Amino acid sequence: MTAAWDGELYSANTAHHRAYDAAVLEGVSVPADGRIVDVGCGVGDFTRSLAALVPEGSVLGVDASAEQIAAARAAGEGERVTFETCVAQRLGEVVPAGSADLVISVACLHWVPWDDHPAVLREVGEALKQGGAFRAEFGGAGQIAGARRVLDEESERRGGPVSPWTFPTDEEYRALLVAAGFDVSWVRLLRQRRSMPTPDALLGWLRSQVAIAYLPRLDPSVVTDFTAAVERRVVEELRRPDGTYDQDYVRLDLLVRAAG
Ligand SMILES: C[S@@+](CC[C@H](N)C(=O)[O-])C[C@H]1O[C@@H](n2cnc3c(N)ncnc32)[C@H](O)[C@@H]1O
């Protein structure tokens, strides 16, 4: 069962991702007429910014959620930036083999079950031209430990899942990348303190992209109660001494190339 994304709500709560977009583009170079594929593009705000890297080329954003893709298209599609609904595990359905100079992915791959990662890496490798780059960042081991503690306790108490994401270590992921045949430039865990200045920012983040991971596997009769308990507790328990609700992110950050 997959999470239900609300494109409008998500769009209003992406500032903590967008603050890191420039860092994600570090080490990336694409020919001016290149083809970029953004996997798990969400509502497409980062995807649209990628067009500047390929002034004579094009960008395709793909996402598993039709709701996110509808929001991305509504915010602006064009000749050089297009969007398709497609899961990363079957990227080849919308990306011809050997056509991409760069496959990039922000904050998506922790939503993919661990057992599906070899398929995702195979599809990414097939999509890339020889020597093309795969640049990705997503949740790694230790991601949002404080918020997860609250979510897990309230979920488990109601028979729901615990940490329903894939948060690997750098060594676990390096092994997968090597097995998939990539040349590894780097695979590392990055610790970041992401800004959540107010209770409203924290709750917007929680509702738009965090608690939704638990809901499909909770009995519908307990969802309202789960949501109320989690929201009450995070506001009470995650306030820092400086008054913010900043979250401790741990990102699995990688740059690899399709072997030439
Ligand atoms: C936190 S959002 C990130 C969106 C965007 N990359 C950004 O930076 O704002 C995660 C996105 O991953 C998508 N997603 C989850 N599983 C996926 C899969 N298997 N294949 C493609 N997209 C997926 C979700 O639908 C969601 O839009």
Side-chain angles (χ1 to χ4, degrees):
M1 271 184 287
T2 52
W5 294 81
D6 173 333
E8 203 178 322
L9 182 64
Y10 182 71
S11 296
N13 289 282
T14 61
H16 71 100
H17 286 314
R18 301 293 71 88
Y20 288 88
D21 285 351
V24 171
L25 292 176
E26 234 183 280
V28 162
S29 76
V30 200
D33 63 351
R35 173 73 163 164
I36 301 177
V37 178
D38 181 10
V39 174
C41 64
V43 294
D45 37 7
F46 176 60
T47 321
R48 268 182 292 278
S49 77
L50 294 170
L53 298 183
V54 282
E56 296 153 31
S58 60
V59 185
L60 168 67
V62 304
D63 197 282
S65 160
E67 289 75 13
Q68 295 277 74
I69 289 296
R73 285 183 172 146
E77 217 180 11
E79 220 169 89
R80 294 205 312 110
V81 181
T82 53
F83 297 99
E84 293 290 347
T85 304
C86 177
V87 293
Q89 295 90 320
R90 294 197 299 274
L91 198 57
E93 289 180 359
V94 295
V95 182
S99 64
D101 296 276
L102 170 68
V103 174
I104 196 159
S105 183
V106 171
C108 167
L109 296 179
H110 53 274
W111 291 93
V112 175
W114 175 249
D115 288 350
D116 286 0
H117 278 252
V120 169
L121 296 179
R122 186 193 62 233
E123 295 285 298
V124 169
E126 280 177 12
L128 285 169
K129 294 177 181 168
Q130 278 190 2
F134 176 39
R135 177 83 176 96
E137 77 85 54
F138 57 100
Q143 165 76 356
I144 57 168
R148 260 198 296 145
R149 178 179 48 75
V150 174
L151 285 152
D152 288 351
E153 283 173 13
E154 296 300 333
S155 174
E156 226 178 349
R157 183 170 292 165
R158 294 171 178 81
V162 168
S163 193
W165 296 281
T166 298
F167 292 144
T169 67
D170 45 353
E171 287 316 313
E172 285 167 340
Y173 217 73
R174 178 185 296 275
L176 279 194
L177 290 161
V178 169
F182 287 104
D183 291 335
V184 175
S185 298
W186 72 71
V187 189
R188 60 193 179 192
L189 285 178
L190 297 179
R191 285 167 213 288
Q192 301 162 350
R193 176 174 165 167
R194 293 214 175 178
S195 174
M196 304 283 157
T198 60
D200 280 351
L202 178 77
L203 292 175
W205 167 80
L206 185 82
R207 290 170 185 158
S208 63
Q209 58 206 273
V210 183
I212 55 171
Y214 291 77
L215 304 187
R217 286 161 54 197
L218 277 165
D219 190 286
S221 66
V222 302
V223 164
T224 304
D225 192 41
F226 166 79
T227 303
V230 167
E231 293 193 358
R232 178 182 49 73
R233 282 189 61 190
V234 294
V235 171
E236 275 172 19
E237 296 175 28
L238 302 186
R239 187 172 187 277
R240 290 178 179 256
D242 66 1
T244 74
Y245 295 82
D246 292 356
Q247 291 299 301
D248 291 319
Y249 266 52
V250 182
R251 308 308 274 175
L252 198 300
D253 182 275
L254 65 91
L255 174 65
V256 298
R257 289 190 183 278

